[in-house]
Amino acid sequence: VGGWDVEPQESGFVAFWPHAEALTGAEFSTAVTAWVGSKAPIEPIETEDDAVWAFGVHIPGIESGFVIWCEPARELSDRDRSQIGEEASRCPWVIRMQTILSVEEPAEEYFMSVGMLGGALPDIVAILDVITGEVYPRQRIDRDFLAEDAGPIERLLWRLGRYEALPDGDSNLVLLGTHGLARCGIPELEIAEVPSDLAESAAVLLHTLAGLLLENDMPDPGESIEVGDELSVVLQPVDQVSEFIGEASAGSEPWRVQARAHGLSEFALVRAVICALQPVGRFRPLWVWPREVVQSIAAGSAVLYMTQHSVRSTERRARSTWGLFATAFASLTRTGNPEWQKIARTGFTVQTPVPGSGEPRIEQSWFAVERIDHDSLTLTVIDRPITRQDLGPGTHLTIETSAVTDWRVEIGGEIYDPDDVDALLIAVDRVREVDGDSSQPKVQP
């Protein structure tokens, strides 16, 4: 893959079964066949020592087969219980599933795999992605994988870790890296020696590049990759970077040896380091972190490219929760309280395509919400779009609500997005109560 020797890794999932009696093999076969809607090849296979049953399963539309088995739940540590939640922790049985995702359509196969397991077995209370550690409670399974408007979310394929230096290293420099991309047939990504105060902006770059690499061909080491308007980086093999990092700093070769010894399996996989376009240094050129790109993101001046998967998934989330966003906005603007109105008009923003921007890439930008009228919005430009220099800050626009691809709310220093609807409504109610208007009805979803 683009000069990188990556063997696609298995994806593993653990589903939590709440009943005292284990799901039988016959019940499982019947449930999967009913869910798929056609005769799915389900073949018994040799079981592990403590497995109740095990099957090899082939589902139409999914390239690789599944190995699925049922076994007693294992003893959990306090940390594991905290991770998966109390309801899943109490389950006496688990149903495990392993598969290899298609490198051409990993997000689609991930979506179908979790959806098949959660949809065929509605009594499952949660599903754990073993690689990322992400837990999908039943409510989220129903929303993100089974709802009529649900679709693939590429961001679920990987998690992002933040790694610190050894005790005698520079604590102000961190390493950020992915875990999960190797199952998609591409290297895990990382940025080394990032100043800790720029870690969040570096994380934005990592997520952006991960999505772009899944949607496009993998570049060769050192080949320029455009991640945004006039923003480019390169990827370098770990050994081209790690030998020039201080021994105690995160990302050095001694540090990596310790990381693997402490069970950080992601550092045993093929990894690519995101670097600036050109090395620095005249006599001993060094590949360094992409300072200019990260600083541009931190300053809010970067226009990053979004993948089609990313646009579609954020758009689905935004539309499915739009009514609650509008309710929260109205509860602050329609009371005549100037302080509440100020919160609404400075803290409620939406992302939409910039009017008039076009191919090859449509620019997405964030706008402040001034007014919501049924199917239309009055917005205010926050930052001048790259593709529409005539739209200066403060310019007013009117668009249809159907054009919204994402939304965000800031109240009291906290940021809320479509995944935080319940918390947003609580925050709005808290604002109203603090101002002494608890007699007003609470915001209801």
Side-chain angles (χ1 to χ4, degrees):
V1 182
W4 303 88
D5 186 15
V6 182
E7 185 71 26
Q9 302 292 300
E10 282 187 343
S11 285
F13 303 90
V14 180
F16 297 90
W17 185 255
H19 303 298
E21 298 295 328
L23 179 74
T24 68
E27 290 170 334
F28 169 79
S29 298
T30 300
V32 170
T33 300
W35 176 257
V36 173
S38 61
K39 185 63 176 177
I42 301 176
E43 300 293 335
I45 59 177
E46 187 175 339
T47 64
E48 299 292 335
D49 291 342
D50 55 354
V52 179
W53 48 259
F55 291 105
V57 183
H58 291 270
I59 303 295
I62 297 181
E63 185 174 306
S64 296
F66 299 91
V67 175
I68 305 177
W69 70 98
C70 177
E71 67 182 25
R74 299 171 184 173
E75 189 71 27
L76 298 175
S77 66
D78 291 340
R79 180 180 178 181
D80 290 338
R81 289 180 180 277
S82 176
Q83 177 187 7
I84 67 175
E86 279 303 315
E87 187 176 13
S89 298
R90 292 193 299 267
C91 291
W93 302 95
V94 296
I95 297 163
R96 293 178 173 267
M97 178 172 74
Q98 289 183 344
T99 188
I100 296 179
L101 302 175
S102 162
V103 296
E104 285 79 23
E105 298 289 355
E108 284 78 359
E109 289 207 355
Y110 186 99
F111 174 76
M112 289 190 289
S113 298
V114 178
M116 181 273 292
L117 191 58
L121 303 174
D123 287 358
I124 285 172
V125 300
I127 296 176
L128 166 69
D129 180 333
V130 174
I131 288 180
T132 63
E134 188 77 17
V135 177
Y136 306 117
R138 169 48 64 178
Q139 183 179 13
R140 190 171 174 193
I141 296 170
D142 293 340
R143 182 191 72 194
D144 290 349
F145 297 93
L146 301 177
E148 185 176 348
D149 60 348
I153 303 174
E154 64 187 6
R155 175 64 188 81
L156 300 180
L157 290 167
W158 69 89
R159 67 166 172 81
L160 196 61
R162 171 174 170 152
Y163 307 90
E164 310 287 342
L166 299 175
D168 52 343
D170 189 342
S171 61
N172 291 319
L173 299 179
V174 299
L175 181 146
L176 300 176
T178 65
H179 189 193
L181 293 178
R183 61 177 162 188
C184 307
I186 65 175
E188 301 292 349
L189 302 178
E190 62 180 59
I191 306 180
E193 296 195 293
V194 178
S196 57
D197 61 337
L198 290 173
E200 289 189 13
S201 299
V204 172
L205 172 58
L206 267 165
H207 288 311
T208 298
L209 182 55
L212 293 173
L213 294 180
L214 287 175
E215 195 167 88
N216 300 283
D217 292 336
M218 187 70 194
D220 289 323
E223 182 181 344
S224 175
I225 309 166
E226 194 174 10
V227 295
D229 188 70
E230 299 184 356
L231 299 172
S232 297
V233 297
V234 299
L235 296 177
Q236 292 292 344
V238 165
D239 60 6
Q240 294 295 309
V241 180
S242 61
E243 66 174 309
F244 302 112
I245 297 176
E247 286 193 1
S249 295
S252 69
E253 191 51 42
W255 182 94
R256 293 173 191 274
V257 170
Q258 288 208 29
R260 292 190 289 268
H262 284 82
L264 296 179
S265 59
E266 58 266 40
F267 289 98
L269 302 169
V270 177
R271 302 183 68 82
V273 186
I274 304 173
C275 299
L277 272 179
Q278 299 294 332
V280 299
R282 193 170 194 179
F283 300 105
R284 192 186 185 192
L286 307 178
W287 290 104
V288 297
W289 66 286
R291 180 190 304 273
E292 292 184 4
V293 176
V294 174
Q295 289 179 335
S296 178
I297 294 171
S301 58
V303 178
L304 298 172
Y305 296 146
M306 296 180 68
T307 65
Q308 290 302 310
H309 267 309
S310 179
V311 171
R312 287 194 295 266
S313 63
T314 57
E315 185 176 7
R316 281 193 298 268
R317 291 163 57 235
R319 289 184 178 180
S320 65
T321 56
W322 177 254
L324 300 177
F325 173 91
T327 297
F329 182 82
S331 73
L332 294 175
T333 57
R334 293 181 180 175
T335 60
N337 185 312
E339 289 300 317
W340 298 358
Q341 292 174 344
K342 181 180 179 181
I343 291 173
R345 295 200 170 98
T346 58
F348 282 66
T349 56
V350 297
Q351 178 182 261
T352 78
V354 174
S357 67
E359 299 297 339
R361 292 185 183 272
I362 299 173
E363 182 179 356
Q364 301 274 338
S365 191
W366 287 91
F367 302 89
V369 178
E370 280 287 325
R371 183 182 176 87
I372 300 178
D373 285 314
H374 302 295
D375 295 331
S376 68
L377 298 170
T378 301
L379 306 176
T380 302
V381 175
I382 301 173
D383 297 308
R384 190 186 305 273
I386 297 296
T387 55
R388 288 288 306 275
Q389 289 293 298
D390 56 312
L391 297 180
T395 304
H396 295 286
L397 299 171
T398 300
I399 67 164
E400 295 182 355
T401 57
S402 60
V404 171
T405 55
D406 203 358
W407 60 257
R408 187 168 57 201
V409 177
E410 181 174 357
I411 297 178
E414 295 292 329
I415 304 293
Y416 305 91
D417 64 22
D419 287 333
D420 307 313
V421 169
D422 293 338
L424 168 62
L425 299 183
I426 292 171
V428 170
D429 280 335
R430 188 180 300 120
V431 167
R432 295 163 63 100
E433 290 172 356
V434 166
D435 274 0
D437 193 28
S438 57
S439 62
Q440 293 289 331
K442 289 182 178 292
V443 180
Q444 297 293 331

